[in-house]
Amino acid sequence: MDGGGAVADGEFGFEMDTARLKRFIDNSMDDSLISWPEYEQKEDYNPANGYGDNGYMTNFNIDRDAEKGSCQMNTVMCCFIESAKDALVDNTDVCRHDLSSSPHSNHVNSGWSVFTDDDPAHCVGFTWEDGAASDMYKGNALFYASMYQTVSKGYTGNVPGAPMCACVEQMPVVTEAACVTATGTALSYQLIVDETGSVSATHSVDMIYGDCGGNDLKAQVKAVHPDTVIATDIDEYLVGANN
């Protein structure tokens, strides 16, 4: 999610590096509930360093009670600058980035990056409402905005100094971004008890992925969070053309 790793670096070639992701997309993406990313090693690090009692990645810390690193705007964005397949669809201009907002990605405590040229970039994101269906399926939306874009379109690479994907507070200021949604129906769970008394669980769901009905990310945020500070603050991150 920071823009590096085997896929972005082309360790074994794009097709081989993305093979496991492609198998998941082909076989499980449309009928799986994808959880929000957490890591066991973060469960000790985060409480000790002000990131809350959780295992969330710094890029995606949705713990509202965390001293730092939280995702207060319920909005995630990915920005890609390279493509391993066809040409990158340039849908935005990158303006600037506060390096102190993403120190775990760039390993810099403070500073600014200002972008004045017109190198191509493609940004896409999603938003969710606490307690609504969009909250339930935000893990699926994250996968669709990030890994799916990489596998299906070849998009890789991060804006220098910024994560490739993160809560919008940690991302660079850009003019605009595309928007995606993930919605599910017929979600069900099955618990199975075997002859030894061990319990296993499975689930099924019908997932549908979309483009926010034609809204860009800024318009979608304002539609999902009307009359809130989120609807106002998004203007600081998605500034519109010629700004």
Side-chain angles (χ1 to χ4, degrees), residues 209-225:
Y209 300 91
D211 64 356
C212 301
N215 277 349
D216 63 11
L217 182 57
K218 183 175 182 177
Q220 184 73 359
V221 169
K222 291 180 178 292
V224 172
H225 308 283

Side-chain angles (χ1 to χ4, degrees), residues 55-84:
Y56 297 132
M57 296 171 61
T58 308
N59 293 16
F60 307 110
N61 193 329
I62 57 174
D63 186 345
R64 290 187 175 277
D65 296 325
E67 177 186 342
K68 54 186 178 180
S70 55
C71 186
Q72 298 292 330
M73 293 181 62
N74 285 23
T75 303
V76 165
M77 184 169 69
C78 299
C79 289
F80 308 95
I81 62 169
E82 300 170 359
S83 177

Side-chain angles (χ1 to χ4, degrees), residues 124-140:
V124 58
F126 63 95
T127 191
W128 69 90
E129 179 184 2
D130 288 338
S134 56
D135 189 7
M136 169 77 75
Y137 300 111
K138 63 182 180 290
N140 292 72

